Amino acid sequence: MNLFSFNSGISRFLYLVADIVLLHVLWVVFSLPVVTIGASTTALYYCCMKRIRRDEGYITRNFFKAFKSNFKQSTLIWLLILLVGAILFMDLHIGMAVGGTVGRFMLISCSVLLIPFFCTVLYIFPVQAKFENRIIDNLKNAFLISLSNFLFTLLLIFIIATFVLLTLTFPPFIGLMLIAGAGIYAYLSSGVYVTVFRKYLPEELEEDAKASRIGQE
C-alpha cells in the first residue's frame, strides 16, 4: 500500500493536521471583532464534531454554514456570558476589597455562582452547534448536561487545565497554540461532546456509520 495514498494512515493524519490548523485560523479571523467570538466558537465546534463523527473534511464550507446559521443566537449568548462574567468578577473584586463579614459573604456567594456559570459556559457553544432550540433552552440544557455527565465535565476541565499548565510551563507549547491552539483544543474536547450528545441522540451513531460506509464506497 502506498503510504501517501488518500486512505493511508499518514495521509489521513496530515489531512487532520491541516484541518485543525485551518480551523484555528478561521476561528481567529472570525473572532477578531470580539463580538463574533460566540458565533465563531459555535462554528468551530460544529466543524470539529462533524470531522470526528463522519471524517467530513469540508471545513471551510461547514464553518461558514454554522457561523451564518448560528450568528444571532451565538452572539447574544456570548454577550450574555460577558455581562454575567463581568458582574461576577466585579462582585469578587468588591468582596476582596470590602473584607470582613460582608466581604466574605460576597466572596462565598460569588464562588458558588461561578460553578454553574462555568459549567454552562463549558457546554453552551457545543450545545448551540448541535441542537436547534431557543437560547434559554440551550442554556438550561448546557447546565443540565454538564451535571448529568459529571465525569465527562471533569475530563473537559482536565483538558483545559492541561492546556493552561503547558502554556505557562512549557514555552514551545505557546508556539503550537499560536499556530493551531483553538483547533487542537476544540478537536480534543469535541470528542467528549460527541460521546455525551449521543446519549441524547442514540440514532446518530448508526447514521454516522452508514454515512461513513457510503463515503468509502
Side-chain angles (χ1 to χ4, degrees), residues 14-64:
L14 292 176
Y15 279 119
L16 174 60
V17 171
D19 286 346
I20 287 175
V21 173
L22 177 58
L23 279 171
H24 171 79
V25 173
L26 287 171
W27 181 82
V28 170
V29 170
F30 280 79
S31 295
L32 287 178
V34 180
V35 72
T36 60
I37 288 178
S40 62
T41 302
T42 300
L44 176 66
Y45 279 117
Y46 178 85
C47 292
C48 285
M49 289 190 286
K50 277 269 191 180
R51 187 69 166 75
I52 291 171
R53 288 175 51 216
R54 300 187 177 185
D55 200 20
E56 188 172 313
Y58 305 109
I59 297 301
T60 304
R61 186 183 72 183
N62 285 338
F63 190 95
F64 290 157

Side-chain angles (χ1 to χ4, degrees), residues 15-211:
Y15 279 119
L16 174 60
V17 171
D19 286 346
I20 287 175
V21 173
L22 177 58
L23 279 171
H24 171 79
V25 173
L26 287 171
W27 181 82
V28 170
V29 170
F30 280 79
S31 295
L32 287 178
V34 180
V35 72
T36 60
I37 288 178
S40 62
T41 302
T42 300
L44 176 66
Y45 279 117
Y46 178 85
C47 292
C48 285
M49 289 190 286
K50 277 269 191 180
R51 187 69 166 75
I52 291 171
R53 288 175 51 216
R54 300 187 177 185
D55 200 20
E56 188 172 313
Y58 305 109
I59 297 301
T60 304
R61 186 183 72 183
N62 285 338
F63 190 95
F64 290 157
K65 173 186 175 183
F67 184 90
K68 182 179 179 180
S69 61
N70 290 283
F71 181 82
K72 182 178 179 180
Q73 285 198 343
S74 295
T75 301
L76 291 174
I77 290 170
W78 170 242
L79 294 176
L80 179 62
I81 288 172
L82 288 179
L83 176 62
V84 175
I87 292 173
L88 290 174
F89 175 80
M90 287 190 296
D91 285 347
L92 286 171
H93 182 72
I94 293 172
M96 288 186 290
V98 171
T101 303
V102 175
R104 285 194 295 271
F105 175 79
M106 292 184 66
L107 289 175
I108 293 172
S109 60
C110 286
S111 298
V112 171
L113 291 174
L114 277 173
I115 296 174
F117 174 73
F118 179 75
C119 289
T120 302
V121 171
L122 197 59
Y123 279 84
I124 184 55
F125 293 115
V127 167
Q128 177 66 30
K130 189 67 179 177
F131 302 99
E132 293 184 9
N133 283 312
R134 298 179 304 166
I135 291 176
I136 186 63
D137 292 328
N138 276 342
L139 287 168
K140 179 181 68 176
N141 290 337
F143 176 61
L144 294 177
I145 290 173
S146 72
L147 295 183
S148 58
N149 296 274
F150 186 66
L151 291 180
F152 286 110
T153 300
L154 289 179
L155 177 58
L156 291 169
I157 294 173
F158 174 78
I159 294 173
I160 293 174
T162 300
F163 270 68
V164 173
L165 183 63
L166 287 174
T167 301
L168 294 176
T169 61
F170 187 58
F173 190 74
I174 298 176
L176 181 62
M177 291 294 290
L178 292 174
I179 296 172
I184 295 173
Y185 170 76
Y187 190 81
L188 290 176
S189 58
S190 289
V192 179
Y193 294 124
V194 168
T195 302
V196 169
F197 293 157
R198 277 180 175 158
K199 296 181 179 181
Y200 308 97
L201 300 168
E203 72 283 356
E204 188 177 85
L205 182 60
E206 182 178 349
E207 292 175 358
D208 291 346
K210 182 179 180 180

